[in-house]
Amino acid sequence: MSLKVNFRYCDKYIGNDIAAMQQEISAAHALLRNGTGAGSDYLGWVDLPVNYDKEEFARIKKAADKIKSDSEVLVVLGIGGSYLGARAAIEFIKSNNYNLIKKDTPDIYYGGNTLSSSAVAELVSLIDGRDFSVNVISKSGTTTETAVAFRIFKKLCEDRYGKEEAAKRIYVTTDRQKGALKALADKEGYETFVVPDDVGGRYSVLTAVGLLPIAAAGIDIDKLMLGAADARERYMNADISSNECYKYAAVRNILYRAGKKIEIMTSYEPSVTMWNEWLKQLFGESEGKDGKGIYPSSVIFSTDLHSMGQYIQQGERDLFETVLWVENPSADYAVPFDETDGDGLNFLAGRSMHSINKNAHDGTVLAHFDGEVPNILITVDRQDEYSLGEMIYFFELACGISGYVLGVNPFNQPGVESYKKNMFALLGKPGYEAEAEKLKTRLD
Ligand code: PA5
């Protein structure tokens, strides 16, 4: 196993509370494992690393190979849980500059996650003159952002390649049976992949939702599943003293009850930025309801020490940090020696950048701890498929358990509907006429 958790820099906030939490954790464990808690229809992710459709898995690899062979660009259309996991994985393992690095896999652009016309126009111009495929991902098949973008890219694809060839370049990931997208895919003859009924969007990265774009980026999805499967095995038991995942869930709740209401997902690698975005959705959408929930935020250090460092050190004391440290960088670099030493940096000459980054990490953990910001330290060996699989499972499980301890349904997202209702009314969607009248008086 590569993932380790260190609670030393929040021990003083935990005290004896951790033993007292065992009962609550055991109750949450029972709800999750027996499927007796709220949202139990959405527990498919729990066994997904070992219980997945092997035939579809093979088809995903085949489709990824075809995309790699016939496309310079893969356009991934999806929003929220339907794109964040894939993007987080690709950037974590390959680079946050994935599209700029030298590679033998297609560039990947993400669309259908915004209603910004500027962003859509830019994406259209980015594929100009380049061979492309489209993977449209939507469990419901009706999400406006994604559906509007798909109309645009379907037309572009058909205009470029003709209807028949376009149908071979459009891959649809959606519900097995229902929804407008499934009906359209069947009608047009697109290859389809399934978002299982019992897996919600933010828990779907290890389904075709994440796996097809991830495989198209040249990432080994077998190793990814293996890391997740090993984590599933490791975090099976309910005992907090031996289950670090459950302990993390317990500590989050202890800190929350002590007034630490904001969790900052911290890392020292820029390629972790989108992973943090995935975590923010996972925790924010799972826990933020019924007037409760830890607010998830994120920083990349040392970059953000020069923007958010002041606040974290001395602002409101309602923060705690979950810090991800990668032991072995994908490459290291030594600080050069300079004869003149004009900048006085020769004391660092020959030092590896990673070791300097580690000093920044250690110094910051201690400073923030001294500033009353508890730090939970998570380390992984390296940014590879196996570690990422472990991380995905660790955080999904921690989130489910933490949500049950918090007393919410961690698997629904009723609040997301409110903006949609207003938007549909204002757009004039049939059936929303009465709502539209009410809203218009409020906007005058
Ligand atoms: O986690 C979730 O359920 C959401 O973020 C959804 O993934 C997101 O709203 C997109 O939904 P859909 O896949 O139905 O287009």
Side-chain angles (χ1 to χ4, degrees):
M1 295 293 291
S2 143
L3 191 155
K4 297 183 186 67
V5 195
N6 177 352
F7 295 96
R8 178 170 170 195
Y9 299 102
C10 54
D11 263 357
K12 76 171 184 184
Y13 298 89
I14 303 172
N16 294 329
D17 292 350
I18 196 70
M21 285 299 286
Q22 181 60 65
Q23 213 177 344
E24 290 182 60
I25 288 289
S26 296
H29 170 87
L31 291 178
L32 192 99
R33 302 286 171 182
N34 302 333
T36 47
S40 59
D41 287 346
Y42 293 95
L43 290 175
W45 58 271
V46 174
D47 292 326
L48 199 56
V50 289
N51 184 15
Y52 57 91
D53 182 338
K54 308 288 185 305
E55 181 274 327
E56 182 179 71
F57 197 78
R59 240 172 6 94
I60 289 171
K61 289 186 191 168
K62 215 166 142 210
D65 285 343
K66 177 170 181 304
I67 293 167
K68 283 189 267 182
S69 71
D70 69 7
S71 303
E72 295 163 273
V73 179
L74 172 63
V75 179
V76 174
L77 303 177
I79 193 166
S82 287
Y83 97 104
L84 279 169
R87 187 165 180 182
I90 291 164
E91 298 198 6
F92 181 85
I93 291 174
K94 293 282 178 165
S95 166
N96 49 315
N97 292 314
Y98 170 79
N99 285 342
L100 301 176
I101 59 175
K102 276 195 195 139
K103 58 187 182 299
D104 56 5
T105 50
D107 283 352
I108 299 183
Y109 293 116
Y110 303 90
N113 54 17
T114 174
L115 290 167
S116 158
S117 56
S118 308
V120 173
E122 185 177 277
L123 194 46
V124 169
S125 74
L126 282 168
I127 59 171
D128 191 32
R130 304 174 76 195
D131 276 319
F132 69 97
S133 294
V134 177
N135 180 200
V136 55
I137 307 168
S138 176
K139 181 171 180 175
S140 62
T142 57
T143 301
T144 311
E145 289 87 341
T146 306
V148 168
F150 184 50
R151 269 206 180 195
I152 294 167
F153 285 92
K154 176 177 180 292
K155 183 166 182 328
L156 269 177
C157 200
E158 289 174 352
D159 289 351
R160 174 87 68 87
Y161 297 104
K163 230 173 151 40
E164 198 177 321
E165 170 64 13
K168 296 185 190 140
R169 290 177 170 269
I170 294 175
Y171 302 86
V172 172
T173 308
T174 189
D175 188 87
R176 189 182 301 278
Q177 282 165 341
K178 347 179 258 295
L181 188 55
K182 174 63 182 158
L184 184 64
D186 288 348
K187 179 169 155 271
E188 303 281 3
Y190 303 145
E191 177 158 20
T192 58
F193 298 94
V194 171
V195 192
D197 284 345
D198 57 358
V199 180
R202 58 192 174 275
Y203 290 85
S204 68
V205 58
L206 297 179
T207 71
V209 170
L211 295 177
L212 178 56
I214 291 171
I219 291 169
D220 185 334
I221 56 175
D222 286 294
K223 286 192 186 140
L224 187 70
M225 295 304 268
L226 180 65
D230 284 356
R232 174 184 166 278
E233 197 65 34
R234 186 189 206 188
Y235 302 123
M236 278 276 185
N237 80 80
D239 178 8
I240 318 183
S241 65
S242 61
N243 186 333
E244 287 181 335
C245 177
Y246 281 15
K247 186 167 176 184
Y248 171 57
V251 168
R252 293 179 81 250
N253 277 278
I254 293 170
L255 294 173
Y256 178 67
R257 289 170 196 176
K260 304 291 187 190
K261 303 209 170 194
I262 298 171
E263 178 173 23
I264 309 175
M265 304 298 181
T266 301
S267 175
Y268 287 73
E269 299 294 340
S271 49
V272 170
T273 304
M274 287 308 298
W275 165 259
N276 284 342
E277 293 305 308
W278 180 80
L279 281 180
K280 279 153 73 173
Q281 188 205 354
L282 180 68
F283 283 109
E285 216 165 69
S286 299
E287 294 191 322
K289 51 196 70 156
D290 306 337
K292 301 191 246 189
I294 295 168
Y295 183 83
S297 65
S298 65
V299 290
I300 298 294
F301 289 163
S302 66
T303 315
D304 294 332
L305 285 169
H306 297 260
S307 55
M308 296 306 293
Q310 170 59 38
Y311 190 102
I312 296 170
Q313 191 68 48
Q314 295 184 325
E316 284 269 0
R317 301 297 73 193
D318 54 0
L319 315 170
F320 69 98
E321 283 174 80
T322 297
V323 184
L324 178 70
W325 175 254
V326 180
E327 293 283 6
N328 301 290
S330 56
D332 210 346
Y333 214 87
V335 177
F337 177 77
D338 185 301
E339 288 286 346
T340 62
D341 198 24
D343 52 10
L345 271 186
N346 269 354
F347 77 101
L348 291 178
R351 282 280 304 275
S352 86
M353 287 288 293
H354 192 62
S355 74
I356 299 171
N357 207 14
K358 180 70 165 77
N359 287 155
H361 166 277
D362 292 351
T364 306
V365 168
L366 293 176
H368 290 180
F369 178 71
D370 291 344
E372 301 297 324
V373 179
N375 272 232
I376 300 164
L377 308 185
I378 298 189
T379 55
V380 290
D381 283 348
R382 47 183 46 81
Q383 289 178 242
D384 61 8
E385 288 89 341
Y386 184 86
S387 299
L388 183 65
E390 284 183 278
M391 287 162 58
I392 289 169
Y393 198 83
F394 175 94
F395 281 101
E396 286 182 348
L397 182 59
C399 184
I401 293 290
S402 182
Y404 277 148
V405 170
L406 185 68
V408 299
N409 175 351
F411 307 112
N412 67 0
Q413 55 283 331
V416 182
E417 294 310 311
S418 303
Y419 100 88
K420 288 188 192 167
K421 194 162 62 111
N422 287 353
M423 182 176 73
F424 290 151
L426 295 170
L427 283 169
K429 188 171 180 175
Y432 290 81
E433 294 78 4
E435 198 56 41
E437 284 311 310
K438 279 192 246 156
L439 290 178
K440 276 179 192 150
T441 59
R442 291 174 58 199
L443 287 171
D444 286 343

